[in-house]
Amino acid sequence: SPTVNATGVTFASGMTIAGGATLTISGTGTNTYKLTSAGKTLTCAVTFANATGATLQLQDDLNSSGNLALNTNGGTLDANGHNVTGRSFQAGSSVTLKMGSGTWTVTSNGNVFQINSGATVVPGTSTVVLSDTSSSSKTFSGNGKTYNNLTIPAGGTGAVVIAGGNTFNTITVTGPKTVSFMHATTTTVAQFAVTGTAGNIITLQSD
């Protein structure tokens, strides 16, 4: 089992991880707790339920085959320069998300990246990747926040919906894809980096 103590949670490199239950990490007070995954892929959903003032700080890359959530208790998730991978990510109200310099990859479809309007997002130099290339749609619900980079890989017929009137440094679309922006909102992008060719069309549209 992982080591759990007053400073956080540490998985051992020799551990075997299985099972689909939810791992909930709850911090209290104004303490900083540390999560060390030791290169393991967690086979469950992971919920960070930090109380107001408490911070969970990643010590290495976080990989999960389940959904990731930062709950509505007013705490902080600090990626600390590491990569984060999960089926989806959700941040509730009154929380702070420090995205750092890593890559945040969401692998599923549906509402894969959801940020509550009451959350604070510190984007850093991070990149969000919507990696699913199935025929199902993917929605980035940024709720009017500022993000650094968003990458949408080519492949699959499922559209990508960008909701919430967000601001981005760069949106990259690497090949044929339909990207739909929510009507009656304004999305601000410093740079579009799109790669399409004849017969491999990138479509930008309003929903």
Side-chain angles (χ1 to χ4, degrees):
S1 62
T3 300
V4 181
N5 54 37
T7 62
V9 179
T10 300
F11 289 85
S13 59
M15 289 178 60
T16 298
I17 299 176
T22 298
L23 170 65
T24 300
I25 303 173
S26 300
T28 60
T30 57
N31 300 314
T32 295
Y33 301 87
K34 298 178 180 181
L35 173 60
T36 302
S37 302
K40 295 297 182 182
T41 296
L42 306 182
T43 59
C44 59
V46 182
T47 297
F48 311 111
N50 296 340
T52 300
T55 296
L56 180 68
Q57 185 182 75
L58 302 185
Q59 301 302 294
D60 54 9
D61 294 348
L62 173 60
N63 294 287
S64 173
S65 59
N67 301 315
L68 306 176
L70 177 59
N71 268 3
T72 59
N73 297 329
T76 296
L77 173 61
D78 180 4
N80 194 29
H82 297 293
N83 301 324
V84 177
T85 300
R87 285 178 51 82
S88 66
F89 180 80
Q90 180 179 8
S93 64
S94 303
V95 301
T96 298
L97 178 61
K98 295 182 177 180
M99 300 185 71
S101 58
T103 298
W104 292 62
T105 302
V106 285
T107 62
S108 188
N109 50 64
N111 293 318
V112 292
F113 197 89
Q114 302 177 70
I115 304 297
N116 187 277
S117 61
T120 297
V121 176
V122 183
T125 57
S126 63
T127 297
V128 177
V129 178
L130 310 184
S131 68
D132 179 77
T133 56
S134 72
S135 60
S136 299
S137 65
K138 281 69 64 175
T139 300
F140 179 102
S141 300
N143 231 315
K145 309 298 181 181
T146 296
Y147 302 90
N148 190 48
N149 298 331
L150 174 65
T151 296
I152 302 169
T157 57
V160 170
V161 179
I162 299 178
N166 312 290
T167 298
F168 297 94
N169 176 45
T170 301
I171 293 180
T172 300
V173 187
T174 63
K177 184 68 70 172
T178 296
V179 181
S180 182
F181 296 89
M182 180 175 286
H183 68 279
T185 63
T186 298
T187 299
T188 302
V189 184
Q191 179 180 359
F192 263 112
V194 297
T195 306
T197 60
N200 296 289
I201 304 301
I202 295 170
T203 301
L204 303 179
Q205 64 183 24
S206 175
D207 68 352

